[in-house]
Amino acid sequence: MASGGAPAKAAAISLLAAALLMLLVFLPGGVAAAGIVVPSIDALPRGLLRGPESVASDGKGRGPHSGVSDGRVLRRNGDKLGWTTHAYGPGYSADACTASAHRPETVTKSRCGRPLGLRFHLKSGNLYIADAYKGLMRVAPGGGEAKLLVNEVDGAPLRFTNGVDVDQVTGKVYFTDSSMNCQRSEHEMVTRTGDSTGRLMRYDLRTGKVVLLRSGSTYPNGLAISVERTHLVISSTGPCKLLRYWIKGSKAGTIEVLADLPGYPDNVRPDGRGGYWVALHGEKNELPFGFNSHLLALRIGGDGKILEEMRGPKSVRPTEVMERKGGRLFLGSVELPCVAVVTRK
């Protein structure tokens, strides 16, 4: 760890605590307040680590697990042990990557990687990792070095591997490559230029083959398989839309708009009730001044209607919202040094 890491961590967490102690408000349908929640802060180890982008728990409820800025996937092991290393990609160097976690991704990307989307295959316990720079990886239940499964499709390298989900029945893995032109370190260019070279793919663990399902997409980001396993819900970040891609039935292979959103969507996670939590990195027409509050996330029904809004301070820009039993919501972020754990009153 670089010198001065501990004070940097304390300062960051202190500022974050001040921001998060502002109450997050949930609005059903955006109409009236349904309840108020108070978040707690689950800080990452080491002062220079940040960015727990995606949050996932295995079939035994262990975790959460989250990928961080030095290229590792960490697992939370209760209050006594805290966060420990669960997985890392091929070529990872603890000395080089941990010490340079605060450096630009352009310096560390090839060796360290940057884990984004995470999903478990619950039956096997395998964790699938969408690493922005390395590609699609898988690590066994015990953790350790992940195996690289896919780093190119039809001869074109994955440049911005982003979202992932697993069909729990077939074990097939769906994942996105947000751009064929830009890497994650250039993600603002993807939105600014309207880049439409994104791809949607499916990996079959039984055959080890990957199939290109759709190309020419505009910033495909997170995705989730529907409860019926008939379609995927995909966030299209730049256009501020949720898309529905059919994988079964008479519409198989077609795509349609499920919802127009008031902000830029990131990851999509099931809410356990047939709908989805969609994290918003920012509002579409957000003003740089005024009230220190904005939309953090939306709960969307299977029909695309907004069921609930989550609002909070502008210093919080979540990339994922995962709901677990007991009304707890885990908020991931690529910018903050913590996971926010929100419990409804």
Side-chain angles (χ1 to χ4, degrees), residues 4 97 183 212 226 230 268 307:
C97 298
Q183 295 187 316
L212 177 63
S226 68
T230 56
V268 182
L307 302 176

Side-chain angles (χ1 to χ4, degrees), residues 174-194:
Y174 296 86
F175 64 104
T176 59
D177 181 23
S178 292
S179 171
M180 295 178 69
N181 296 322
C182 301
Q183 295 187 316
R184 183 190 174 277
S185 57
E186 307 162 306
H187 66 91
E188 291 182 355
M189 287 294 295
V190 182
T191 300
R192 188 178 302 125
T193 64

Side-chain angles (χ1 to χ4, degrees), residues 7 25 27 48 50 58 74 91 103 109 111 121 166 170 174 201 209-210 227 268-269 279 281 289 302 304 316 323 330:
V25 180
L27 305 175
L48 297 176
R50 64 186 185 280
D58 64 17
L74 305 182
R103 298 171 68 187
K109 63 187 179 184
R111 170 175 281 190
H121 181 225
V166 182
T170 66
Y174 296 86
M201 292 141 291
K209 295 182 178 180
V210 62
V227 175
V268 182
R269 294 299 300 266
H281 197 63
F289 52 85
V316 181
E323 184 166 357
F330 289 76

Side-chain angles (χ1 to χ4, degrees), residues 291-314:
F291 294 109
N292 184 28
S293 175
H294 69 158
L295 279 172
L296 300 178
L298 299 171
R299 190 164 71 87
I300 305 288
D303 58 359
K305 294 182 179 179
I306 296 176
L307 302 176
E308 200 168 6
E309 295 180 352
M310 182 195 299
R311 301 191 69 88
K314 289 184 178 180

Side-chain angles (χ1 to χ4, degrees), residues 101-175:
H102 65 297
R103 298 171 68 187
E105 287 184 17
T106 51
V107 176
T108 62
K109 63 187 179 184
S110 60
R111 170 175 281 190
C112 307
R114 183 53 167 103
L116 296 180
L118 303 177
R119 293 296 187 277
F120 277 95
H121 181 225
L122 300 179
K123 184 177 180 180
S124 67
N126 291 329
L127 174 63
Y128 288 87
I129 305 167
D131 187 288
Y133 298 104
K134 292 181 179 292
L136 180 67
M137 305 191 298
R138 180 181 65 214
V139 66
E145 182 175 313
K147 178 182 180 181
L148 180 61
L149 302 175
V150 183
N151 61 4
E152 67 174 30
V153 179
D154 292 346
L158 299 176
R159 290 183 61 81
F160 190 172
T161 321
N162 202 332
V164 63
D165 202 0
V166 182
D167 186 320
Q168 299 298 332
V169 176
T170 66
K172 293 180 179 179
V173 182
Y174 296 86
F175 64 104

Side-chain angles (χ1 to χ4, degrees), residues 15-291:
L15 291 173
L16 179 63
L20 283 181
L21 285 177
M22 297 177 61
L23 299 181
L24 278 70
V25 180
F26 285 82
L27 305 175
V31 178
I36 296 177
V37 294
V38 179
S40 61
I41 299 170
D42 203 346
L44 299 174
R46 300 182 183 272
L48 297 176
L49 287 183
R50 64 186 185 280
E53 200 260 6
S54 182
V55 186
S57 293
D58 64 17
K60 297 181 180 180
R62 292 177 297 192
H65 301 69
S66 193
V68 292
S69 57
D70 73 348
R72 289 180 294 162
V73 174
L74 305 182
R75 185 172 84 180
R76 186 75 162 84
N77 296 277
D79 293 336
K80 186 174 181 179
L81 294 178
W83 293 94
T84 59
T85 299
H86 180 70
Y88 45 87
Y92 178 85
S93 165
D95 291 337
C97 298
T98 301
S100 60
H102 65 297
R103 298 171 68 187
E105 287 184 17
T106 51
V107 176
T108 62
K109 63 187 179 184
S110 60
R111 170 175 281 190
C112 307
R114 183 53 167 103
L116 296 180
L118 303 177
R119 293 296 187 277
F120 277 95
H121 181 225
L122 300 179
K123 184 177 180 180
S124 67
N126 291 329
L127 174 63
Y128 288 87
I129 305 167
D131 187 288
Y133 298 104
K134 292 181 179 292
L136 180 67
M137 305 191 298
R138 180 181 65 214
V139 66
E145 182 175 313
K147 178 182 180 181
L148 180 61
L149 302 175
V150 183
N151 61 4
E152 67 174 30
V153 179
D154 292 346
L158 299 176
R159 290 183 61 81
F160 190 172
T161 321
N162 202 332
V164 63
D165 202 0
V166 182
D167 186 320
Q168 299 298 332
V169 176
T170 66
K172 293 180 179 179
V173 182
Y174 296 86
F175 64 104
T176 59
D177 181 23
S178 292
S179 171
M180 295 178 69
N181 296 322
C182 301
Q183 295 187 316
R184 183 190 174 277
S185 57
E186 307 162 306
H187 66 91
E188 291 182 355
M189 287 294 295
V190 182
T191 300
R192 188 178 302 125
T193 64
D195 185 300
S196 296
T197 62
R199 297 179 286 176
L200 171 67
M201 292 141 291
R202 181 182 66 222
Y203 172 78
D204 191 330
L205 64 88
R206 291 174 294 186
T207 64
K209 295 182 178 180
V210 62
V211 175
L212 177 63
L213 299 177
R214 186 174 180 83
S215 60
S217 298
T218 305
Y219 206 155
N221 198 323
L223 75 163
I225 300 173
S226 68
V227 175
E228 309 86 358
R229 300 175 41 252
T230 56
H231 62 273
L232 306 173
V233 174
I234 306 168
S235 63
S236 182
T237 300
C240 297
K241 296 181 185 296
L242 278 188
L243 306 177
R244 175 158 47 196
Y245 178 86
W246 292 94
I247 55 178
K248 289 184 179 180
S250 60
K251 293 184 178 181
T254 65
I255 197 165
E256 60 193 22
V257 175
L258 177 62
D260 287 301
L261 303 174
Y264 299 95
D266 204 298
N267 286 328
V268 182
R269 294 299 300 266
D271 67 354
R273 289 156 280 180
Y276 308 90
W277 277 106
V278 182
L280 300 179
H281 197 63
E283 291 187 46
K284 188 187 302 184
N285 299 311
E286 187 169 313
L287 297 175
F289 52 85
F291 294 109

